[in-house]
Amino acid sequence: MSKDKKLKEKILKAQQDGDIASLYVLEQQAHDTFDEETLQSFYANILDLALERLTQTLEEHRAMDMNEVQDFATLRALYEYAIEHYSAGESNDAAALFEVLSGLSNDEKFSNAIKLHWMAAQEKISFDDFLDRIADIEATQRAGTFYISEFKQEAQKLLDNMKDKGGKA
């Protein structure tokens, strides 16, 4: 059996099992093996599974647990989806997604970081400006998180500005 066929079988099994974490484990292999169109389908499947888990979580009135592998992978997929919107200039959609994400996890550090994303998108700060002025990419890389978790001093100004406007900072 070819490597390509084996990989497709592994991906299909993970999809059938609703196993987002396994799909992320197979991500590099998918990048090395598939063309752009197939990769888009791969990520669309991850997103579909994440949206199903989001719906289920909301219906159960529970918070996602960063220590539970499927919840972690779901939060990552939803975060990447929100970032995709933000980087495409769709700040209203991104803000709505970040708002939901900020209340979805039991991890306070994640929730607080996502609130800053939400506020920046709400304030129509471009994604590039967010990366340049607010996010601390080097510190985030050192922290090893899948999300932008470290911020520059400018972030405090954003928080203060939202508080002054009577926002939920």
Side-chain angles (χ1 to χ4, degrees):
M1 186 184 299
S2 72
K3 266 178 37 177
D4 188 34
K5 190 163 174 67
K6 276 185 182 172
L7 178 59
K8 285 182 178 174
E9 283 183 8
K10 287 179 185 175
I11 289 170
L12 183 61
K13 170 125 178 63
Q15 289 170 344
Q16 289 170 340
D17 294 345
D19 188 350
I20 299 169
S22 288
L23 290 171
Y24 273 120
V25 169
L26 297 169
E27 181 179 25
Q28 188 57 53
Q29 278 182 275
H31 270 275
D32 295 344
T33 306
F34 298 143
D35 62 24
E36 192 60 36
E37 188 177 321
T38 307
L39 269 179
Q40 291 304 318
S41 294
F42 176 80
Y43 285 112
N45 286 322
I46 289 175
L47 180 60
D48 287 345
L49 290 172
L51 292 170
E52 282 177 33
R53 285 187 59 86
L54 169 64
T55 301
Q56 180 183 2
T57 300
L58 293 173
E59 286 172 353
E60 293 170 358
H61 303 287
R62 72 173 186 89
M64 288 195 174
D65 182 350
M66 281 287 225
N67 295 314
E68 200 281 311
V69 70
Q70 293 303 325
D71 282 357
F72 180 91
T74 300
L75 289 167
R76 175 182 167 183
L78 295 172
Y79 176 77
E80 290 172 353
Y81 184 57
I83 288 292
E84 201 175 292
H85 282 283
Y86 197 15
S87 66
E90 299 163 5
S91 56
N92 289 339
D93 291 342
L97 290 163
F98 289 135
E99 182 178 12
V100 169
L101 266 175
S102 72
L104 201 56
S105 171
N106 65 355
D107 186 290
E108 195 173 329
K109 183 174 174 58
F110 175 79
S111 294
N112 289 336
I114 301 308
K115 283 178 185 168
L116 280 167
H117 290 65
W118 172 34
M119 287 181 230
Q122 242 184 339
E123 290 294 302
K124 306 281 189 260
I125 294 170
S126 75
F127 184 63
D128 288 340
D129 283 348
F130 176 75
L131 292 177
D132 291 342
R133 295 189 357 241
I134 297 169
D136 188 333
I137 301 302
E138 286 179 20
T140 294
Q141 287 171 336
R142 284 192 301 274
T145 55
F146 68 82
Y147 59 95
I148 297 169
S149 59
E150 305 299 323
F151 301 92
K152 298 176 182 169
Q153 198 58 43
E154 186 77 20
Q156 189 58 51
K157 292 180 191 169
L158 183 61
L159 288 171
D160 294 342
N161 187 26
M162 292 303 283
K163 282 181 184 164
D164 290 346
K165 289 183 174 183
K168 297 183 265 182

